């Protein structure tokens, strides 16, 4: 009984943290963009930070595909965009999809092995960008409490379902046009940056 209460409390805290972070991120750089762009980013970020079972909808999936990363047991990560913004960030957006005929528990390795990130549950915090030309590796950004600036609450993805996801990284220099996107248990992929 106490374990259920603790899990519900933990999920409520995670949901509150995600909402707070989405509001914080939406407020950053508000002066840099026209109001229409700001409204679009504030409405899309909270939807993408939900659990894997809440954000699933085939109708919302963008048609553009920068890359498709194959994971274990029929899980795919389809990357739709990788865009720099004026604040020095690079936001990668995509869809995590279960192509199998059964529900899949997402592997814990995708959150990475950093203690601070692991404390905040399953996420895409283990993702990195590799700039081979600049010889640099970029990690998912974290807030001051160690929470990764990426979709969290990723536990089980039902058969045939998809979840919209996002990740934020420090932006590579403008001269860097290609990076390798890597996520544990998935094949790497090369991304063209815009």
């Amino acid at each position: 009984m106490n374990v259920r209460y603790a899990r519900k409390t933990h999920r409520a805290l995670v949901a509150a943290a995600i909402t707070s972070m989405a509001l914080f991120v939406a407020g950053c750089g508000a002066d840099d963009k026209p109001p229409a762009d700001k409204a679009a980013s504030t409405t899309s970020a909270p939807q993408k930070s939900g659990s894997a079972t809440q954000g699933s909808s085939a109708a919302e999936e963008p048609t553009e595909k920068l890359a498709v990363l194959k994971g274990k047991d029929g899980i795919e990560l389809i990357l739709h965009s990788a865009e720099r913004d004026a604040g020095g960030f690079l936001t990668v957006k995509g869809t995590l999809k279960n192509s199998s005929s059964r529900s899949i528990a997402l592997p814990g390795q995708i959150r990475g092995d950093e203690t601070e990130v692991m404390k905040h549950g399953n996420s895409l915090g283990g993702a990195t960008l590799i700039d081979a030309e600049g010889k640099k590796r970029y990690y998912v950004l974290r807030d001051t409490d160690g929470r990764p600036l990426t979709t969290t609450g990723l536990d089980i993805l039902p058969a045939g379902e998809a979840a919209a996801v996002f990740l934020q990284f420090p932006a590579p220099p403008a001269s860097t046009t290609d990076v390798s996107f890597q996520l544990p248990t998935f094949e790497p992929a090369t991304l063209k940056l815009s």
Side-chain angles (χ1 to χ4, degrees), residues 42 46 66 188:
T42 56
L66 295 180

Side-chain angles (χ1 to χ4, degrees), residues 57-74:
S57 173
E60 296 176 13
E61 186 176 319
T63 55
E64 184 176 353
K65 293 180 184 179
L66 295 180
V68 177
L69 290 75
K70 302 282 186 187
K72 294 181 178 179
D73 301 320

